[in-house]
Amino acid sequence: QVQLVESGGDSVQTGGSLRLSCQASGNTARVSCMGWFRQAPGQEREGLGLFYPKMASSFYADSIKGRFTISQDRSKDLWYLEMNNLKPEDSAMYYCAAQLDYHRCGAVATISTFDYRGQGTQVTVSS
């Protein structure tokens, strides 16, 4: 079991930056991959970035590539989503998710289906 708690969501203006945090607890050593996804009202969930903690390698959706970056502090079981040059269309609830089974770490688009997810943190970008 892995528990995830997101924080750091806020209201910012276009062009601003935010850093979201995902605090993990439980069996974190067994996490094969983690990721971030978002969901805006009335829209489907959108996978943003996939991260492999043991290799510190990452893959991103084209929609946020170059603006968002995933990083970690392994000593604190923390993962981060650094978001720059935010746009109004980035407004959504943001979630982190984790997967223990490496065979299910295949694609950014599948992040919202991972076995463990947090409750989300709201990001609002105003023009």
Side-chain angles (χ1 to χ4, degrees):
Q1 292 279 347
V2 175
Q3 294 79 42
L4 303 171
V5 178
E6 302 92 339
S7 62
D10 204 346
S11 297
V12 297
Q13 293 188 329
T14 298
S17 298
L18 280 175
R19 187 177 76 165
L20 306 183
S21 299
C22 176
Q23 179 68 65
S25 59
N27 210 345
T28 58
R30 292 187 56 200
V31 171
S32 294
C33 64
M34 64 81 57
W36 290 88
F37 69 96
R38 67 187 178 189
Q39 188 169 25
Q43 297 189 22
E44 294 186 356
R45 294 171 179 173
E46 178 188 11
L48 301 174
L50 181 63
F51 185 76
Y52 291 85
K54 294 170 185 171
M55 296 178 284
S57 59
S58 54
F59 303 88
Y60 299 97
D62 288 341
S63 62
I64 55 88
K65 196 174 294 183
R67 297 192 298 125
F68 292 11
T69 304
I70 298 174
S71 62
Q72 66 179 348
D73 183 337
R74 294 195 71 181
S75 67
K76 298 179 180 178
D77 286 334
L78 272 167
W79 294 303
Y80 302 103
L81 180 66
E82 187 79 35
M83 306 187 294
N84 298 308
N85 191 23
L86 284 163
K87 307 173 183 179
E89 52 264 41
D90 294 319
S91 297
M93 187 72 80
Y94 283 69
Y95 302 85
C96 62
Q99 182 62 260
L100 305 189
D101 182 354
Y102 181 80
H103 296 95
R104 293 186 57 198
C105 294
V108 173
T110 65
I111 292 170
S112 64
T113 68
F114 286 179
D115 288 342
Y116 302 100
R117 288 172 282 174
Q119 294 300 307
T121 186
Q122 179 68 40
V123 172
T124 302
V125 185
S126 58
S127 57

